[in-house]
Amino acid sequence: MDDYKFEVKRSNIHGKGLFARAKVPARRKMGELGGEVISQAEARRRARRSHSIKIVELGDGTAIDSSRGGNHFKYVNHSCSPNAYMRVAYGRLEFYTLRAIKPGEELTCNYGETHHDGALRCRCQSPQCQGYI
């Protein structure tokens, strides 16, 4: 895996976002989400108590809470037209590019199913926006 450089700054999508500082080629692993590994039950308890949720369930009964010990990948915002995707592998959440990413471009993923159940308005501003997350 190459060591790509990213920076966290204000996003037009939502709050803070993660931006590429240099070109990132298509179909490349960029890194992994950091954070505390917890049970799915604990993840859901924490999600009910928080307004800012940075938890990803891995599908094996565990989850990663990136608000505790997380890294810069916790700032990847949702888009209905993403330039990256997430993959669960070996108990980790990995980020890969779907296409080449230009310097200064914000990294985005389609979150897929979320605890919001379609009740949170999407702010991605994509022409293909579905309207809700």
Side-chain angles (χ1 to χ4, degrees):
M1 175 179 67
D2 293 310
D3 187 23
Y4 300 108
K5 304 290 184 214
F6 304 102
E7 66 181 320
V8 176
K9 60 184 187 180
R10 188 175 174 344
S11 167
N12 288 330
I13 297 172
H14 179 72
K16 294 180 182 178
L18 186 62
F19 294 79
R21 294 182 70 194
K23 182 179 178 182
V24 183
R27 299 175 305 280
R28 296 292 171 94
K29 181 178 176 181
M30 295 180 284
E32 300 172 3
L33 180 67
E36 180 183 4
V37 177
I38 56 177
S39 71
Q40 182 174 305
E42 176 61 17
R44 291 181 180 181
R45 269 192 294 278
R46 290 181 187 183
R48 283 191 299 271
R49 295 189 319 244
S50 177
H51 293 294
S52 178
I53 300 166
K54 297 194 182 301
I55 297 174
V56 178
E57 292 183 8
L58 301 179
D60 64 354
T62 64
I64 299 173
D65 183 349
S66 64
S67 65
R68 298 186 184 190
N71 58 14
H72 54 276
F73 285 105
K74 70 183 175 184
Y75 295 106
V76 174
N77 278 314
H78 167 83
S79 175
C80 296
S81 299
N83 56 22
Y85 69 96
M86 300 176 280
R87 180 183 94 145
V88 175
Y90 312 108
R92 297 187 297 263
L93 185 74
E94 304 172 332
F95 287 85
Y96 291 83
T97 57
L98 284 167
R99 59 169 176 75
I101 297 175
K102 299 177 233 160
E105 187 175 355
E106 182 172 3
L107 302 179
T108 59
C109 286
N110 185 327
Y111 288 175
E113 288 185 37
T114 71
H115 71 283
H116 301 295
D117 293 325
L120 181 65
R121 186 168 91 41
C122 183
R123 303 177 194 175
C124 78
Q125 305 166 17
S126 159
Q128 290 80 31
C129 183
Q130 301 297 306
Y132 293 90
I133 299 175

